Amino acid sequence: MDRRLFIQQTTLAGAAVLAGCRPDSAVRTQGAYPAGPVPGAPTYTAAREASASAGSVRQVRLVAASVEVEVGPGEVWSTWGYNGSYPGPEIRLREGEHLEATVENQLPEGTTVHWHGLPVPNPMDGVPGLTQDPIPPGGSFVYAFAAEPTGSYLYHSHVGLQLDRGLVGPLIVEEREPHIAYDREVTILLDDYLPGAPEPLAAGGRGGMMGGRGRMGQGRGGMMGGQVPPYAGLLINGKLPSDPVAVEVRRGERLRMRVINPSGATTFRFAVGGHRLIVTHADGYPVRPVTVDALHISMGERYDIVLEANNPGAWPIAASTVEGDSAPAQAILRYRDAAATRPPDGALPEGLGSGHLLQLGDLRGMEDAPPAAQPDRTFDLTLSGGMMSSVWTIDGQAYPDAAPLEVHEGERIRVRMTNQSPMLHPMHLHGHFFRTGDLSVGGVRKDTVLVPAHMGRATFEFVADNPGRWFFHCHNVYHLEAGMAREVRYV
Ligand code: C2O
Ligand code: CU
């Protein structure tokens, strides 16, 4: 069958599934997933109190404060979170809705919220020093914008290293007519677990090398020096592998998983035992479905996948660090009628070590995009630093002592990056989507792209269509704090 026709047909099926089972609250608490957000699932009282629908404006209240969360049996993490939970509550909107989020700061220091991936108006972007002053302790700020386009996003603090302290949550804008069919969905947040307060990393690989991660294997970056915070494990939806969350499916169902990486410093390899993954969206954007065994997902990236539940049992959902220096994060995919409630001890998906790994060049948008035209302006940028110094740089400059990248409204901008360092850099542009991947066939729309280590390269192109002062930076929050950022400024 012609692929386009197939997609149209499945679109209708998907729409029908969604139409019948609208969640009726914009906010779901932590307990709502991974069992939810399943269409038709119960609503959550606390969440409902925190949200009210006023026409097409969704009002949400987010309170940033100290929280204690149990990440594993007897393992209580005293940290910071939103509305008393980590990860923060899922904010779920429908296509066309506006979000009005009142953020209250009950932390001992200033904070902001950034709506990662959404091209919001500049004053709503939540970047301290660029778009707003931090919300002071005891203060509040109202963020209001149209939540478009549809997709899987995240929200997080953009002050200092607060993101690595638990101030993160998923933000979902449901499409009215998904281009793929599915029966239920689940949000999967992959995170690294830092028991103490995050601190900037010193030069030359102190920190992680001597810290917690070293316990579980060789320091990330190996002999090149760690520069990894002392993480004590990896989490899926806030739980260590000792207390994995379970995702229930029925045989024959199609399960959509929105996989999101809000972590401070970890690039994951994600796979599910006994099942292949149909990649349907990259950074929230619909792509031509690609079937793989595993994918890499870096900080700030999102991938939606559909899994066909055709292999009954209890299977591991797992995510290892790409460096393999830590026990993988784990959850369970459990068929309703399965005899076993969990996979055998130590069972991990084969996809973590073998099989077809998604490549950026595999991804293409749904519409035929012409090969990109000649850009009006090109930036050639070198990513380097760290390791033997305590700064990370873009073209030798460390933010805030760095020149803005100046653009004019309406220009087509090309950014070429070369990574001269041995570490990975997921580069994220605020306020815009860009095209990346195989640009000769139109590429794929994203907002965060991983630049491989050791002279790895990545190129993206965007149209300067959202005037303002926008941040462009590495989403490893330690690299960001150490200078790997620039302002993109409309002049
Ligand atoms: Cu997800 Cu500048 O951030
Ligand atoms: Cu980086």
Side-chain angles (χ1 to χ4, degrees), residues 150-182:
T150 61
S152 304
Y153 301 96
L154 60 148
Y155 62 91
H156 61 79
S157 163
H158 218 301
V159 169
L161 302 170
Q162 288 179 1
L163 171 151
D164 213 17
R165 202 165 182 171
L167 290 169
V168 301
L171 170 57
I172 309 297
V173 187
E174 297 175 342
E175 60 269 72
R176 218 169 272 129
E177 297 190 358
H179 71 298
I180 33 85
Y182 58 94

Side-chain angles (χ1 to χ4, degrees), residues 257-294:
M257 303 174 110
R258 299 178 184 262
V259 188
I260 300 175
N261 180 350
S263 75
T266 302
T267 300
F268 291 94
R269 179 173 177 132
F270 177 86
V272 179
H275 297 77
R276 305 198 80 200
L277 314 175
I278 306 168
V279 180
T280 62
H281 300 70
D283 291 354
Y285 177 68
V287 296
R288 301 184 194 197
V290 194
T291 302
V292 299
D293 298 296

Side-chain angles (χ1 to χ4, degrees), residues 137-320:
S140 65
F141 187 90
V142 180
Y143 295 90
F145 49 84
E148 60 189 14
T150 61
S152 304
Y153 301 96
L154 60 148
Y155 62 91
H156 61 79
S157 163
H158 218 301
V159 169
L161 302 170
Q162 288 179 1
L163 171 151
D164 213 17
R165 202 165 182 171
L167 290 169
V168 301
L171 170 57
I172 309 297
V173 187
E174 297 175 342
E175 60 269 72
R176 218 169 272 129
E177 297 190 358
H179 71 298
I180 33 85
Y182 58 94
D183 302 292
R184 64 176 68 224
E185 67 166 89
V186 60
T187 305
I188 299 280
L189 267 81
L190 309 176
D191 207 349
D192 36 32
Y193 168 48
L194 186 67
E199 287 174 21
L201 297 178
R206 281 183 285 145
M209 282 293 273
M210 327 263 279
R213 183 69 64 78
R215 224 166 1 107
M216 284 170 284
Q218 57 176 20
R220 186 182 298 178
M223 297 308 289
M224 294 306 296
Q227 289 229 338
V228 179
Y231 290 127
L234 300 173
L235 307 167
I236 290 184
N237 291 3
K239 294 293 185 182
L240 290 166
S242 50
D243 187 19
V245 293
V247 178
E248 291 217 333
V249 287
R250 291 200 181 86
R251 181 179 196 153
E253 281 183 337
R254 287 164 65 92
L255 173 68
R256 176 178 184 171
M257 303 174 110
R258 299 178 184 262
V259 188
I260 300 175
N261 180 350
S263 75
T266 302
T267 300
F268 291 94
R269 179 173 177 132
F270 177 86
V272 179
H275 297 77
R276 305 198 80 200
L277 314 175
I278 306 168
V279 180
T280 62
H281 300 70
D283 291 354
Y285 177 68
V287 296
R288 301 184 194 197
V290 194
T291 302
V292 299
D293 298 296
L295 52 84
H296 282 166
I297 178 167
S298 198
M299 298 138 257
E301 288 190 300
R302 294 88 65 206
Y303 283 106
D304 290 22
I305 59 180
V306 167
L307 171 153
E308 291 176 349
N310 52 14
N311 195 0
W315 298 96
I317 297 171
S320 54

Side-chain angles (χ1 to χ4, degrees), residues 235-487:
L235 307 167
I236 290 184
N237 291 3
K239 294 293 185 182
L240 290 166
S242 50
D243 187 19
V245 293
V247 178
E248 291 217 333
V249 287
R250 291 200 181 86
R251 181 179 196 153
E253 281 183 337
R254 287 164 65 92
L255 173 68
R256 176 178 184 171
M257 303 174 110
R258 299 178 184 262
V259 188
I260 300 175
N261 180 350
S263 75
T266 302
T267 300
F268 291 94
R269 179 173 177 132
F270 177 86
V272 179
H275 297 77
R276 305 198 80 200
L277 314 175
I278 306 168
V279 180
T280 62
H281 300 70
D283 291 354
Y285 177 68
V287 296
R288 301 184 194 197
V290 194
T291 302
V292 299
D293 298 296
L295 52 84
H296 282 166
I297 178 167
S298 198
M299 298 138 257
E301 288 190 300
R302 294 88 65 206
Y303 283 106
D304 290 22
I305 59 180
V306 167
L307 171 153
E308 291 176 349
N310 52 14
N311 195 0
W315 298 96
I317 297 171
S320 54
T321 69
V322 292
E323 296 86 356
D325 58 0
S326 182
Q330 285 194 67
I332 299 171
L333 177 70
R334 181 190 290 157
Y335 285 67
R336 282 267 160 85
D337 48 3
T341 56
R342 51 192 308 159
D345 276 349
L348 286 172
E350 286 182 3
L352 289 189
S354 61
H356 180 57
L357 177 68
L358 178 73
Q359 305 294 314
L360 189 59
D362 292 343
L363 296 171
R364 289 185 64 185
M366 296 298 296
E367 69 290 347
D368 282 316
Q374 263 313 104
D376 301 305
R377 194 178 292 276
T378 299
F379 295 100
D380 276 302
L381 304 174
T382 298
L383 311 178
S384 61
M387 315 327 288
M388 294 306 144
S389 88
S390 55
V391 293
W392 283 96
T393 59
I394 297 177
D395 253 19
Q397 299 178 24
Y399 190 88
D401 299 319
L405 305 177
E406 297 188 338
V407 303
H408 293 108
E409 187 170 1
E411 282 180 336
R412 177 181 297 275
I413 313 292
R414 178 178 294 170
V415 177
R416 290 195 294 229
M417 298 166 291
T418 305
N419 182 359
Q420 289 187 346
S421 80
M423 292 192 80
L424 297 168
H425 303 294
M427 300 303 293
H428 171 55
L429 176 63
H430 287 217
H432 304 76
F433 292 104
F434 51 67
R435 291 208 160 263
T436 187
D438 188 350
L439 291 170
S440 69
V441 292
V444 62
R445 193 202 76 177
K446 286 181 103 280
D447 51 65
T448 308
V449 63
L450 181 60
V451 189
H454 301 289
M455 298 311 286
R457 289 166 192 275
T459 295
F460 65 77
E461 298 189 352
F462 69 101
V463 175
D465 60 0
N466 193 8
R469 301 179 66 186
W470 298 104
F471 223 18
F472 167 59
H473 63 88
C474 178
H475 218 278
N476 178 315
V477 74
Y478 297 88
H479 297 178
L480 164 59
E481 270 305 281
M484 194 168 250
R486 289 292 181 103
E487 177 189 345

